[in-house]
Amino acid sequence: MPQDYPFTTGSSEHFPGFPDIRAGLTAAETSRITGRGLWAADGTVDPGAVRLGQTLANALLGGPTRDGDEGPGSERTEGEGTRGAGDLLPADLAAYVEEVRGLAVPAYHRIEGADEDVRLSAFSLRQRGPGPHPLVVVPAGWTPFGWPLFLWSYLVLARKGYHVLAYTPRGLGIPGLPSTSTGFVDVAGPHDWADGSAVIDFAVDHFAPGTIGFMGESYGSGISQLVAAHDDRVAAVVALSTWGNLATSLYDHDTRHLAAVKALLALTGGPVESTFDEANQRILADFQADRNLEGVVAWGRLRAPESYLDLTNDKGTPTFFSHTWHESLFPVNQVLETFNGLEVPKRLNMWIGDHAAPEGPALIGPPAVPGESDLPMAEAYAWLDHHLKGEPNGVPDWPEVCNQVMFTYTTEPVPEAGNGENRIVTPARRETRPDWSEVTTATEVLGLTGDGAGGADGRLLSAGGGVPVGEGTGWRRAFLAGVDTEATAMDALLKTGQAEWAGNPKIYDTRKIDRRHALAWTTEPLLPSGGEETAGRRVRGIPRLRLTVRSTASSASLYAHLLDVAEDDTARIICHEPLNVHGLTPERDTTVTWRLQAAAYDIPSGHRLMLVVDSKDPLYGDASVTWTQTVVGSPESEPSYLELPLG
């Protein structure tokens, strides 16, 4: 192990593609980095976010020494030519770092994992004042950059009076960098749970904390839940952009979420052969080859916090979830299943956007606009403050559920951008509910009609709460399968949703959806139902779709998209969900019902609701055979309909 902290040297020279962190950051650069968020245009971690985290690490570990700086278990030594916070950071941020250094001792560690040959790279901030102090353990996310990426959040926690111990889970990282942990990636399996307990052992020995909480983003959030389920020393959990069931996150409705797995594999920092052991390599290969899916599901369930709800409920571990409506890696419905199964103090915050878009900026750096508060992380910290420090901050009185309503923000153009970009001037509305069961207060059933000859759309006709009859039955419509259309869930994994969060949701031109390869049904312009209602429809909850299908092939994909269509035929997506159907026989009907992803969306008065069904999307592994015919119908005995949740 290197004896000097290597981030103080030109890492870009030694590790191609790694950001150059030798130059200090300016205030303008820092603001741009946090304003962009966590994701680059290609769905990888933004190099600026990496540079900011590593620079903060340098400022902490390479600054002036004080008596007692070398905390217990520290492996940091002063490197020749190291530079302090004032050399590396803008004045305000440098002052913040120095304030934290006055409160807490920074140190770099190698912690022995559950296996003797595994060493976990770790970083700590140990409170200087008399204790005991609460501790927050932060397993890093699924990136090759490990614990330094979210270093700003450790400063925030230390300033609030916590010991902080962050670590890179086994097997993640760029070989040669000090933030890399040895061993094979276990994908939040039993080795990772045991490593989490080993980290707690280390913390108890070296920090003697009063209470212990876990906070994680993405991969770190799943590990946090699983460690807490198996180790009763964890007193609270904050799980950001998380999963409840890894099996249904990756494979649901007989559909493989291929793009999500491809993106995750690209973020490990090494080739599959050297990153995963043979057993996990086989599982990943099976998933990608569409074989042994029962084994893949069993593997995912082993790594699902939902599988251990009895343990979590017995311990009563307070659990905080933060998630997004258009989550591309861990779709929202599986989180809802786990959340509803928790019988502990709990909170669910749902936000506009995609994976890590709401929390990411405040994990990597200070607000882009000085003085602004980042609500997603402010509430996460409040959860810890109450459950670990006992602060009387109102957390026990929070309703269990708080939903941000999609695209209810107001925006204005950013003239200097020159590309049609908008910025938010009034935040989107949030709604609280005592629990998830009260999010949906009514349902409206919309029957699908058979008009649509010559490429025209069918209609969605309200049947109230009943089953559609009459025009909603006795028809068939066909399309050519296996060809993608403009009705895609998103343009780019992670990035499209990050733009949503910033006020720039994807705009669809519904006229460009090729009706040869898709079917569409549309309502009349929707009007408010009366009273104080102003929206045409308030979608709240999980839509459900029933279709009768047949195909000239033995399998077919049905990818459903709900769109909010404006007067000019442009649209925004409400939600979507794929379904692959197998075992089809030509000339024989099969009726299928599936749930789309949950939503909180106000369709404006005068807009129309559109349902589009096609057979392909870059996110998923489809089951359609190109240029075969898929036929959708609505027999009188089993009419096709869309069940819309309202609230």
Side-chain angles (χ1 to χ4, degrees), residues 252-253 325 331-337 340 348 403 436-437 439-444 538-545 562 574-577 593-601 642-647:
D252 198 18
H253 293 139
W325 295 115
V332 58
N333 285 3
Q334 51 83 31
V335 166
L336 294 176
E337 291 283 346
N340 289 332
L348 171 67
N403 293 329
W436 181 260
S437 68
V439 170
T440 302
T441 58
T443 58
E444 180 178 13
R538 290 164 45 92
V539 180
R540 298 292 187 275
I542 300 175
R544 195 164 63 103
L545 179 61
L562 290 187
I574 300 170
C575 63
H576 82 286
E577 182 66 7
T593 303
W594 76 105
R595 303 189 313 165
L596 280 59
Q597 292 300 317
Y601 194 107
L642 171 68
E643 184 179 272
L644 198 65
L646 305 175

Side-chain angles (χ1 to χ4, degrees), residues 429-440:
R429 188 173 73 254
R430 300 178 76 198
E431 298 174 342
T432 58
R433 293 292 182 268
D435 56 55
W436 181 260
S437 68
E438 298 194 33
V439 170
T440 302

Side-chain angles (χ1 to χ4, degrees), residues 21-42:
I21 58 174
R22 291 169 294 182
L25 284 165
T26 66
E29 288 172 323
T30 303
S31 178
R32 282 196 298 270
I33 289 168
T34 54
R36 287 197 303 262
L38 192 56
W39 306 116
D42 61 356

Side-chain angles (χ1 to χ4, degrees), residues 249-287:
S249 292
L250 303 180
Y251 178 70
D252 198 18
H253 293 139
D254 286 331
T255 305
R256 292 170 299 141
H257 293 202
L258 282 175
V261 171
K262 181 179 178 181
L264 290 168
L265 292 177
L267 285 169
T268 59
V272 169
E273 294 75 19
S274 60
T275 304
F276 301 91
D277 64 17
E278 291 184 1
N280 283 325
Q281 286 182 46
R282 283 195 298 272
I283 286 291
L284 293 169
D286 286 346
F287 179 85

Side-chain angles (χ1 to χ4, degrees), residues 18 68 95 150 194 226 268 333 335 395 404 431 436 469 532 565:
F18 194 85
F150 298 149
L226 290 160
T268 59
N333 285 3
V335 166
V395 164
Q404 190 177 50
E431 298 174 342
W436 181 260
V469 293
E532 299 181 0
V565 184

Side-chain angles (χ1 to χ4, degrees), residues 37-53:
L38 192 56
W39 306 116
D42 61 356
T44 60
V45 178
D46 189 289
V50 180
R51 182 183 174 204
L52 178 53

